[in-house]
Amino acid sequence: MLFPDFTHPDAAFREKEIKKQIGWIEMTHALGGSYCRVLSGQRRPELTIEEGVGFAADCIKECLPHAEKLGVTLILENHYKDDFWEYPEFAQQMDIFCMLVDRIHHPNFGVNYDPSNTFLAGEDPLELLYRVSDRVVTMHASDRYLKEGTIEDLRKEEGGAMGYAKRLSHGEIGKGLNDYDAIFKELKRVGFDGWISIEDGVDGMDQLERSVAFLRKKVKEYWPEFK
């Protein structure tokens, strides 16, 4: 993966990242897509919260007229870390993520909710969902587990190393820590009817098939109107 890094302190660098994101918006449109993911940028130690939120919000707002023109919605994910980043996501923590979301109000902007990533921030995925559920337009269905150690061990490793920490792994959906009944109940309550994409299959197609079956059953339970 390679996502725009909107929290870089150099304005010229951020301008290049805006052009990069606009290119991905155009690619999304050319391929017939309606949603294009966007992130905040890296959590550089020298950044204040206000600086980072301001940089990221301004850059995303610069991209939105292009997205609107092409009928594409930018979706901000509560992400963990891009594969090519040294530092974790600037908006990884719930309060900062919500601050950034609250700075941007546009019909072509929304949230891509990933419950598993919230665990990596040491926070409750349901608490985050309740705070942003009315802004969620797409969702990543996933489950996570640590192959070894603890969340605290992971957080000690996340700065100063490229990509994901090696102790982190995806798991079969429905077998991990996420409460999908509570998640889907809240999404149903706010009228969510968007895409739910699957993040699984790391350990083979059999695992992916079980995850698909689990999600189809749950979707039918909470959205029986969808076939």
Side-chain angles (χ1 to χ4, degrees), residues 78 111-115 118 125-126 128-129 132 136 138-140 183:
N78 57 306
V111 168
N112 180 67
Y113 172 66
D114 188 323
T118 316
L126 291 176
L128 173 61
L129 178 60
V132 300
V136 173
T138 60
M139 175 186 169
H140 279 170
I183 290 169

Side-chain angles (χ1 to χ4, degrees), residues 14 28 50 56-57 75 80 96 102 104 108 119 150 163 166 168 174-175 196 219 221:
R14 295 197 303 274
T28 299
E50 183 55 38
I75 48 175
Y80 165 57
I96 299 175
D102 287 342
I104 306 170
N108 290 78
F119 287 120
T150 66
K166 291 183 170 55
L168 174 67
K175 298 292 186 180
I196 300 173
V219 168
E221 180 179 346

Side-chain angles (χ1 to χ4, degrees), residues 1-5 13 17 20 24 39 42 44 79-88 158 160-164:
M1 299 178 188
L2 186 62
F3 291 101
D5 185 357
F13 183 96
E17 298 299 281
K20 185 188 301 181
W24 289 328
L39 300 181
Q42 297 187 61
R44 294 177 171 83
H79 203 247
Y80 165 57
K81 192 177 186 183
D82 182 270
D83 289 338
F84 298 94
W85 285 0
E86 181 177 0
Y87 299 105
E158 61 187 10
M162 297 294 280
Y164 275 51

Side-chain angles (χ1 to χ4, degrees), residues 37-83:
R37 186 163 62 168
V38 65
L39 300 181
S40 59
Q42 297 187 61
R43 191 169 69 221
R44 294 177 171 83
E46 67 273 18
L47 272 182
T48 67
I49 291 175
E50 183 55 38
E51 284 174 336
V53 171
F55 289 158
D58 288 347
C59 289
I60 292 171
K61 288 176 182 177
E62 284 287 323
C63 298
L64 282 169
H66 302 273
E68 182 177 22
K69 180 180 178 181
L70 296 177
V72 173
T73 297
L74 291 183
I75 48 175
L76 179 70
E77 182 179 342
N78 57 306
H79 203 247
Y80 165 57
K81 192 177 186 183
D82 182 270
D83 289 338

Side-chain angles (χ1 to χ4, degrees), residues 78 94 97-98 111-115 118 123-140 178-190 192 223:
N78 57 306
M94 186 186 309
F97 182 80
C98 291
V111 168
N112 180 67
Y113 172 66
D114 188 323
T118 316
E123 297 175 331
D124 182 353
L126 291 176
E127 182 182 350
L128 173 61
L129 178 60
Y130 297 146
R131 290 177 66 172
V132 300
S133 57
D134 61 336
R135 305 293 300 276
V136 173
V137 295
T138 60
M139 175 186 169
H140 279 170
N178 285 312
D179 183 346
Y180 273 92
D181 285 306
I183 290 169
F184 285 170
K185 181 179 179 181
E186 174 63 11
L187 290 175
K188 176 69 173 181
R189 185 189 71 82
V190 296
F192 173 83
W223 290 274

